[in-house]
Amino acid sequence: MPAHTPGTSRADLIADSALALLTERGMRGLTHRAVDERAGLPQGSTSNQARTRQALLEAAVRRQAEREAKVLVPAEMPVPGSDLDELAGALALALHRYLTGPRELLVSRYELALEATRRPELRAYYDAAGRQFRAPLVRLMRAAGSSAPERHALSLISFSEGLMFSCAAGSYHAEVPSLAEIRRSFAELLSGMLTGPGIGPGPGRR
């Protein structure tokens, strides 16, 4: 890997290299020396940027969230109150784009998530980075008329993350669902949440 690519800072290069190592070698393969080698930087460069392992992991989490945001693009979500078809389509497009993009992001996300279960200090940092995706979804569900926006957002996130895991390391790693299939699944989930028995009409419902 070249030491620098256009538009990439040294901090991002180091973080990207850390994510690549997590994908290729797992958590044990993530060392400051290995990051220097993977990034094509002089020895000691990573230590100067992130002196401790915790700092290196935090840099990886930050970069993971930044790169996921470019794929999932929370800003592309429809405005609150949009109809269910539009919401299902936007969610499906974001998830399908992630599943068919660089596999590195899928694998590194689980390496970091598992490490966060062992490091309370990383857990807090990891959770804070993830709120950029959770909060907009809660707002969308509330605007759609959800009687339990937090719970329904959790269900949508759980479906998405379950599919991510299945396609990254589970039984569907070689057969990613099509965009149409994912959209249908989201439509079914949203319909059950927002137009199920005992739930009256609300914004965006048909």
Side-chain angles (χ1 to χ4, degrees):
M1 172 182 281
H4 289 282
T5 55
T8 302
S9 67
R10 176 169 287 206
D12 286 347
L13 174 62
I14 286 171
D16 284 337
S17 299
L19 294 178
L21 284 169
L22 287 173
T23 302
E24 296 166 5
R25 307 180 191 176
M27 195 58 65
R28 290 185 178 180
L30 180 64
T31 66
H32 286 72
R33 177 180 292 274
V35 173
D36 285 338
E37 292 173 353
R38 184 70 171 75
L41 295 172
Q43 288 295 320
S45 298
T46 299
S47 293
N48 288 335
Q49 186 71 41
R51 293 193 176 277
T52 65
R53 184 169 181 80
Q54 174 66 18
L56 181 57
L57 288 169
E58 288 181 359
V61 169
R62 172 191 59 79
R63 189 60 170 160
Q64 177 84 24
E66 289 174 353
R67 290 177 59 181
E68 286 184 345
K70 292 179 180 179
V71 179
L72 297 173
V73 196
E76 285 184 357
M77 288 295 102
V79 297
S82 299
D83 66 41
L84 298 192
D85 286 343
E86 188 175 359
L87 181 53
L91 290 170
L93 179 61
L95 182 55
H96 185 262
R97 187 164 51 200
Y98 195 170
L99 295 175
T100 55
R103 185 172 178 273
E104 173 183 305
L105 279 184
L106 281 169
V107 177
S108 58
R109 119 186 300 264
Y110 293 110
E111 289 285 350
L112 290 168
L114 287 172
E115 188 66 8
T117 66
R118 308 179 188 104
R119 290 175 174 262
E121 65 277 20
L122 185 63
R123 175 84 272 166
Y125 196 86
Y126 184 94
D127 290 348
R131 290 192 189 103
Q132 66 175 308
F133 305 106
R134 172 182 169 181
L137 190 53
V138 172
R139 287 195 295 271
L140 283 170
M141 296 308 293
R142 182 176 292 114
S146 167
S147 61
E150 288 276 359
R151 180 168 60 82
H152 286 159
L154 173 60
S155 294
L156 292 171
I157 291 170
S158 297
F159 166 75
S160 300
E161 293 194 337
L163 196 54
M164 287 177 186
F165 182 83
S166 293
C167 293
S171 56
Y172 282 84
H173 66 91
E175 42 186 323
V176 176
S178 69
L179 176 59
E181 289 171 327
I182 297 174
R183 180 172 184 155
R184 192 175 304 119
S185 294
F186 272 122
E188 290 167 350
L189 285 169
L190 289 166
S191 179
M193 292 172 182
L194 302 175
T195 65
I199 300 178
R205 293 179 186 165
R206 303 184 186 188

